[in-house]
Amino acid sequence: MSNANILVIGNGFDLYHGLKTNYIDFVRFSKELSKTDKGTKGRKWVISNSFIRCFINVVSENQNWIDCEKEIEIIVTMFLKIMHDRNVFDNIPYCIEKDNTSLESYEFDRLKLMNRFCEKSNTKKIELRDNYIKTYVGIDKNLMMEKLKVDLNDLIKLFKYYLEERVINQSVEKMSNQIEEINPDYVINFNYTNTYEHYGINRKNVCYVHGSVQDNNMVLGIRDIDEKDINSIYFKKFFQRIQKHTDVIQWDRFIEDHGLGSKFNIANTYFFGHSLSNTDGDLIRSIYENSCKINIFHLNIQKDYEQKVINLIDTLGKESVIQGIYSGKIKFIPIK
């Protein structure tokens, strides 16, 4: 049995084909919706959404750049502090003073944008809304997380709407000869889109690890920073994959059994347009372990090559990367 070719695609795959799947495009779309007339489809998912309000503000301050997943992680971490760290609040109950709190300055600035949670706020002080405070109990943690979950679900609905309106079924600007030469037997798709279809790849040979627009089970969240932290589990990608029944990688298709318990991985894996970030660390490590070769496409510029090496070290560990490169298991390939 010959080795199979697996193509792993991330957001850079869609960008290569000229599709507007950058987070910045999505945030601009959301900002446009916030200014439309009441009743416009999608507008209700934008107004007062804690995540969107922060995204728009970050974009305006960061010269039109944003990592929405990183922002979600910052916001969720901030709320965990509010619920569990007594040093967040000043002597006045449930009042947060910027110069006297364990919240970081960037966390404080994000919280004051969130009208859903804040009764009063200014540059120096924030007060939580009364409905999040229970007499004799303190902060109503369940209600606070429930409202944040609503905002996350609306964010995902809005992202799906954006992809349907501006990305899905759009024509591509170019095709990759390198991917055509690979002729993938199987695709591990970190995207929500079906751009791979332009290469004649059948859906039955595609694994949507983060769900898809078509299946209405999109995963958008944070990495599993602390396995013991159950409070934020709803926002973790691994939980959402289970919750939403996303596809599971069919590794059995790529194992050759030589008998007497001797089995070999026969997958040559090609990463195209994936950052290799530790945000998807559990899946990347699984792909690495189940592949006999790892080929990583990168832009033909030194900076992109170096960043992918750095991300891979962060995800797999220094020893695995060094051993993989020197043994020939890991190979970097410039995109043509």
Side-chain angles (χ1 to χ4, degrees):
M1 184 175 181
S2 60
N3 285 10
N5 289 332
I6 297 177
L7 177 64
V8 182
I9 53 178
N11 187 48
F13 178 80
D14 281 353
L15 293 175
Y16 173 88
H17 292 87
L19 300 174
K20 292 187 175 182
T21 54
N22 262 328
Y23 281 135
I24 183 64
D25 297 310
F26 166 61
V27 175
R28 287 170 178 160
F29 175 79
S30 303
K31 188 175 181 179
E32 290 172 13
L33 274 180
S34 69
K35 298 176 180 179
T36 56
D37 295 333
K38 196 172 183 179
T40 303
K41 184 176 180 180
R43 183 178 184 273
K44 65 179 180 179
W45 298 322
V46 177
I47 303 301
S48 299
N49 188 293
S50 303
F51 295 104
I52 292 295
R53 289 177 68 87
C54 288
F55 293 171
I56 292 174
N57 188 70
V58 168
V59 165
S60 65
E61 293 187 357
N62 279 2
Q63 299 180 340
N64 294 326
W65 183 90
I66 188 170
D67 182 340
C68 288
E69 289 184 348
K70 182 179 179 181
E71 285 299 314
I72 293 172
E73 186 171 305
I74 289 173
I75 292 168
V76 172
T77 301
M78 174 186 69
F79 275 95
L80 291 176
K81 283 186 182 180
I82 291 171
M83 293 187 296
H84 301 289
D85 185 351
R86 294 181 180 179
N87 295 319
V88 165
F89 298 99
D90 192 18
N91 293 327
I92 305 172
Y94 311 113
C95 177
I96 304 172
E97 290 193 358
K98 188 169 186 177
D99 298 328
N100 191 28
T101 178
S102 58
L103 289 184
E104 300 292 342
S105 177
Y106 61 83
E107 292 173 322
F108 181 93
D109 290 338
R110 283 164 175 76
L111 180 60
K112 73 182 181 183
L113 296 170
M114 302 179 183
N115 296 336
R116 181 189 291 278
F117 298 98
C118 303
E119 184 72 40
K120 301 174 184 177
S121 65
N122 54 46
T123 57
K124 293 293 183 180
K125 185 180 293 186
I126 296 174
E127 292 183 26
L128 293 185
R129 288 189 176 276
D130 291 342
N131 54 310
Y132 293 103
I133 302 168
K134 282 186 174 181
T135 306
Y136 306 121
V137 176
I139 295 176
D140 188 338
K141 300 173 184 177
N142 291 332
L143 178 62
M144 185 169 281
M145 293 307 288
E146 190 61 37
K147 293 298 183 182
L148 200 61
K149 283 162 56 178
V150 169
D151 281 348
L152 179 67
N153 288 335
D154 285 348
L155 173 65
I156 293 172
K157 291 175 186 175
L158 181 62
F159 199 9
K160 177 176 180 289
Y161 177 53
Y162 168 74
L163 293 173
E164 290 171 334
E165 289 292 304
R166 301 289 175 90
V167 177
I168 296 293
N169 299 322
Q170 297 295 311
S171 59
V172 299
E173 294 181 354
K174 60 181 177 179
M175 298 283 284
S176 168
N177 292 332
Q178 289 170 302
I179 292 177
E180 290 175 335
E181 290 172 3
I182 292 169
N183 190 23
D185 300 289
Y186 190 69
V187 174
I188 299 175
N189 192 358
F190 281 80
N191 301 328
Y192 312 115
T193 55
N194 58 347
T195 312
Y196 61 83
E197 290 182 353
H198 291 282
Y199 293 89
I201 300 168
N202 194 296
R203 169 66 177 91
K204 68 180 182 180
N205 294 319
V206 178
C207 173
Y208 281 93
V209 290
H210 286 158
S212 70
V213 171
Q214 296 90 333
D215 294 335
N216 193 27
N217 62 344
M218 289 168 52
V219 167
L220 181 62
I222 64 176
R223 56 194 170 133
D224 187 19
I225 304 170
D226 181 0
E227 292 183 1
K228 296 181 180 179
D229 170 35
I230 301 300
N231 296 294
S232 64
I233 195 167
Y234 189 90
F235 303 90
K236 295 181 178 182
K237 284 184 174 181
F238 88 88
F239 175 78
Q240 289 184 38
R241 293 199 300 265
I242 298 170
Q243 174 204 32
K244 298 182 179 183
H245 305 286
T246 62
D247 294 342
V248 177
I249 303 172
Q250 300 173 18
W251 288 121
D252 288 347
R253 294 174 57 169
F254 311 106
I255 295 178
E256 191 172 79
D257 192 343
H258 287 209
L260 301 176
S262 179
K263 297 183 179 181
F264 297 92
N265 298 329
I266 57 168
N268 288 325
T269 300
Y270 296 81
F271 281 85
F272 193 108
H274 197 290
S275 69
L276 306 173
S277 166
N278 203 18
T279 304
D280 297 313
D282 57 336
L283 290 171
I284 295 172
R285 286 186 286 272
S286 175
I287 292 169
Y288 181 76
E289 292 166 2
N290 286 281
S291 301
C292 60
K293 296 284 185 181
I294 297 288
N295 304 278
I296 300 168
F297 284 101
H298 64 88
L299 299 177
N300 197 16
I301 54 177
Q302 185 68 12
K303 184 177 179 180
D304 187 62
Y305 165 69
E306 290 174 355
Q307 190 59 59
K308 282 183 168 54
V309 173
I310 291 169
N311 289 349
L312 194 64
I313 291 171
D314 184 42
T315 301
L316 298 181
K318 180 183 72 174
E319 296 303 323
S320 293
V321 173
I322 292 174
Q323 182 181 18
I325 291 175
Y326 289 154
S327 68
K329 179 174 181 177
I330 298 174
K331 181 180 178 182
F332 288 88
I333 306 171
I335 296 174
K336 297 178 181 178

CSV table of all heavy atoms in Angstrom, one decimal, residues 29-52:
chain,number,residue,atom,x,y,z
A,29,PHE,N,-17.2,44.1,8.6
A,29,PHE,CA,-18.6,43.7,8.3
A,29,PHE,C,-19.5,43.9,9.5
A,29,PHE,O,-20.6,44.4,9.3
A,29,PHE,CB,-18.6,42.2,7.8
A,29,PHE,CG,-20.0,41.7,7.5
A,29,PHE,CD1,-20.6,42.0,6.3
A,29,PHE,CD2,-20.6,40.8,8.4
A,29,PHE,CE1,-21.9,41.4,6.0
A,29,PHE,CE2,-21.9,40.3,8.2
A,29,PHE,CZ,-22.5,40.6,6.9
A,30,SER,N,-19.1,43.5,10.7
A,30,SER,CA,-19.9,43.7,11.9
A,30,SER,C,-20.1,45.1,12.2
A,30,SER,O,-21.2,45.5,12.6
A,30,SER,CB,-19.2,43.0,13.1
A,30,SER,OG,-18.9,41.6,12.8
A,31,LYS,N,-19.1,45.9,12.0
A,31,LYS,CA,-19.2,47.4,12.3
A,31,LYS,C,-20.3,48.0,11.3
A,31,LYS,O,-21.1,48.8,11.7
A,31,LYS,CB,-17.9,48.1,12.1
A,31,LYS,CG,-17.9,49.5,12.6
A,31,LYS,CD,-16.5,50.1,12.5
A,31,LYS,CE,-16.5,51.6,13.0
A,31,LYS,NZ,-15.1,52.1,12.9
A,32,GLU,N,-20.2,47.6,10.1
A,32,GLU,CA,-21.2,48.0,9.1
A,32,GLU,C,-22.6,47.7,9.5
A,32,GLU,O,-23.5,48.5,9.5
A,32,GLU,CB,-20.9,47.4,7.7
A,32,GLU,CG,-19.7,47.9,7.0
A,32,GLU,CD,-19.4,47.1,5.8
A,32,GLU,OE1,-20.3,46.4,5.3
A,32,GLU,OE2,-18.2,47.2,5.3
A,33,LEU,N,-22.8,46.4,10.0
A,33,LEU,CA,-24.1,46.0,10.4
A,33,LEU,C,-24.7,46.8,11.6
A,33,LEU,O,-25.8,47.1,11.8
A,33,LEU,CB,-24.1,44.5,10.8
A,33,LEU,CG,-24.3,43.5,9.7
A,33,LEU,CD1,-24.2,42.1,10.3
A,33,LEU,CD2,-25.6,43.7,9.0
A,34,SER,N,-23.7,47.2,12.5
A,34,SER,CA,-24.2,47.9,13.7
A,34,SER,C,-24.8,49.3,13.4
A,34,SER,O,-25.5,49.9,14.2
A,34,SER,CB,-23.0,48.1,14.7
A,34,SER,OG,-22.0,49.0,14.1
A,35,LYS,N,-24.5,49.7,12.2
A,35,LYS,CA,-25.0,51.1,11.8
A,35,LYS,C,-26.2,51.0,10.9
A,35,LYS,O,-26.7,52.0,10.4
A,35,LYS,CB,-23.9,51.8,11.0
A,35,LYS,CG,-22.6,52.1,11.9
A,35,LYS,CD,-21.5,52.8,11.1
A,35,LYS,CE,-20.3,53.1,12.0
A,35,LYS,NZ,-19.2,53.7,11.2
A,36,THR,N,-26.7,49.7,10.6
A,36,THR,CA,-27.8,49.6,9.7
A,36,THR,C,-29.1,49.8,10.5
A,36,THR,O,-29.1,49.9,11.7
A,36,THR,CB,-27.8,48.2,9.1
A,36,THR,OG1,-27.8,47.2,10.1
A,36,THR,CG2,-26.6,48.0,8.2
A,37,ASP,N,-30.2,49.8,9.7
A,37,ASP,CA,-31.5,50.0,10.3
A,37,ASP,C,-31.9,48.8,11.2
A,37,ASP,O,-31.6,47.7,10.9
A,37,ASP,CB,-32.6,50.2,9.2
A,37,ASP,CG,-32.3,51.5,8.4
A,37,ASP,OD1,-31.7,52.4,9.0
A,37,ASP,OD2,-32.7,51.5,7.2
A,38,LYS,N,-32.8,49.1,12.2
A,38,LYS,CA,-33.3,48.1,13.0
A,38,LYS,C,-34.1,47.0,12.2
A,38,LYS,O,-34.8,47.4,11.3
A,38,LYS,CB,-34.2,48.7,14.1
A,38,LYS,CG,-34.5,47.8,15.3
A,38,LYS,CD,-35.3,48.6,16.3
A,38,LYS,CE,-35.5,47.7,17.6
A,38,LYS,NZ,-36.2,48.5,18.6
A,39,GLY,N,-33.9,45.8,12.5
A,39,GLY,CA,-34.5,44.7,11.7
A,39,GLY,C,-33.7,44.1,10.6
A,39,GLY,O,-34.0,43.1,10.1
A,40,THR,N,-32.5,44.8,10.3
A,40,THR,CA,-31.6,44.2,9.3
A,40,THR,C,-31.1,42.9,9.8
A,40,THR,O,-30.7,42.8,11.0
A,40,THR,CB,-30.5,45.2,9.0
A,40,THR,OG1,-31.0,46.4,8.6
A,40,THR,CG2,-29.6,44.6,7.9
A,41,LYS,N,-31.0,41.9,8.9
A,41,LYS,CA,-30.5,40.6,9.4
A,41,LYS,C,-29.1,40.7,9.9
A,41,LYS,O,-28.2,41.3,9.2
A,41,LYS,CB,-30.6,39.6,8.2
A,41,LYS,CG,-30.2,38.2,8.6
A,41,LYS,CD,-30.3,37.2,7.5
A,41,LYS,CE,-29.9,35.8,8.0
A,41,LYS,NZ,-30.0,34.8,6.9
A,42,GLY,N,-28.8,40.1,11.0
A,42,GLY,CA,-27.5,40.1,11.6
A,42,GLY,C,-27.3,41.2,12.6
A,42,GLY,O,-26.4,41.1,13.5
A,43,ARG,N,-28.1,42.3,12.5
A,43,ARG,CA,-27.8,43.4,13.4
A,43,ARG,C,-28.0,43.1,14.8
A,43,ARG,O,-27.3,43.5,15.7
A,43,ARG,CB,-28.8,44.6,13.0
A,43,ARG,CG,-28.5,45.9,13.8
A,43,ARG,CD,-29.5,47.0,13.4
A,43,ARG,NE,-29.2,48.2,14.0
A,43,ARG,CZ,-29.8,48.5,15.2
A,43,ARG,NH1,-30.6,47.7,15.8
A,43,ARG,NH2,-29.5,49.7,15.8
A,44,LYS,N,-29.0,42.2,15.2
A,44,LYS,CA,-29.3,41.9,16.5
A,44,LYS,C,-28.1,41.1,17.2
A,44,LYS,O,-28.0,41.1,18.4
A,44,LYS,CB,-30.6,41.1,16.6
A,44,LYS,CG,-30.5,39.7,15.9
A,44,LYS,CD,-31.8,38.9,16.1
A,44,LYS,CE,-31.6,37.5,15.4
A,44,LYS,NZ,-32.9,36.8,15.6
A,45,TRP,N,-27.3,40.5,16.3
A,45,TRP,CA,-26.2,39.7,16.9
A,45,TRP,C,-25.0,40.6,17.2
A,45,TRP,O,-24.0,40.2,17.8
A,45,TRP,CB,-25.7,38.6,15.9
A,45,TRP,CG,-26.8,37.6,15.6
A,45,TRP,CD1,-27.7,37.1,16.6
A,45,TRP,CD2,-27.1,36.9,14.4
A,45,TRP,NE1,-28.5,36.2,16.0
A,45,TRP,CE2,-28.2,36.0,14.6
A,45,TRP,CE3,-26.5,37.0,13.1
A,45,TRP,CZ2,-28.7,35.2,13.6
A,45,TRP,CZ3,-27.1,36.2,12.1
A,45,TRP,CH2,-28.1,35.4,12.4
A,46,VAL,N,-25.0,41.8,16.7
A,46,VAL,CA,-23.9,42.8,16.8
A,46,VAL,C,-24.2,43.7,18.0
A,46,VAL,O,-23.3,43.9,18.9
A,46,VAL,CB,-23.8,43.6,15.6
A,46,VAL,CG1,-22.7,44.7,15.8
A,46,VAL,CG2,-23.4,42.8,14.4
A,47,ILE,N,-25.4,44.2,18.1
A,47,ILE,CA,-25.7,45.3,19.1
A,47,ILE,C,-25.5,44.7,20.5
A,47,ILE,O,-26.0,43.7,20.9
A,47,ILE,CB,-27.2,45.7,19.0
A,47,ILE,CG1,-27.4,46.3,17.6
A,47,ILE,CG2,-27.5,46.8,20.0
A,47,ILE,CD1,-26.5,47.4,17.2
A,48,SER,N,-24.7,45.4,21.3
A,48,SER,CA,-24.4,45.1,22.7
A,48,SER,C,-23.6,43.8,22.9
A,48,SER,O,-23.4,43.3,24.0
A,48,SER,CB,-25.7,45.0,23.5
A,48,SER,OG,-26.3,46.2,23.5
A,49,ASN,N,-23.1,43.1,21.8
A,49,ASN,CA,-22.3,41.9,21.9
A,49,ASN,C,-21.0,42.3,22.5
A,49,ASN,O,-20.2,43.0,22.0
A,49,ASN,CB,-22.2,41.2,20.6
A,49,ASN,CG,-21.5,39.9,20.7
A,49,ASN,OD1,-20.4,39.7,21.0
A,49,ASN,ND2,-22.3,38.8,20.4
A,50,SER,N,-20.7,41.6,23.7
A,50,SER,CA,-19.4,42.0,24.4
A,50,SER,C,-18.2,41.7,23.5
A,50,SER,O,-17.2,42.5,23.6
A,50,SER,CB,-19.3,41.1,25.7
A,50,SER,OG,-20.5,41.3,26.5
A,51,PHE,N,-18.2,40.7,22.8
A,51,PHE,CA,-17.0,40.3,22.0
A,51,PHE,C,-16.9,41.3,20.8
A,51,PHE,O,-15.8,41.8,20.6
A,51,PHE,CB,-17.1,38.9,21.4
A,51,PHE,CG,-17.1,37.9,22.5
A,51,PHE,CD1,-18.2,37.2,22.9
A,51,PHE,CD2,-15.9,37.5,23.2
A,51,PHE,CE1,-18.2,36.3,23.9
A,51,PHE,CE2,-15.9,36.6,24.2
A,51,PHE,CZ,-17.0,35.9,24.6
A,52,ILE,N,-18.0,41.6,20.1
A,52,ILE,CA,-17.9,42.5,18.9
A,52,ILE,C,-17.5,43.9,19.3
A,52,ILE,O,-16.7,44.5,18.7
A,52,ILE,CB,-19.3,42.5,18.2
A,52,ILE,CG1,-19.5,41.1,17.6
A,52,ILE,CG2,-19.3,43.6,17.2
A,52,ILE,CD1,-18.6,40.8,16.5
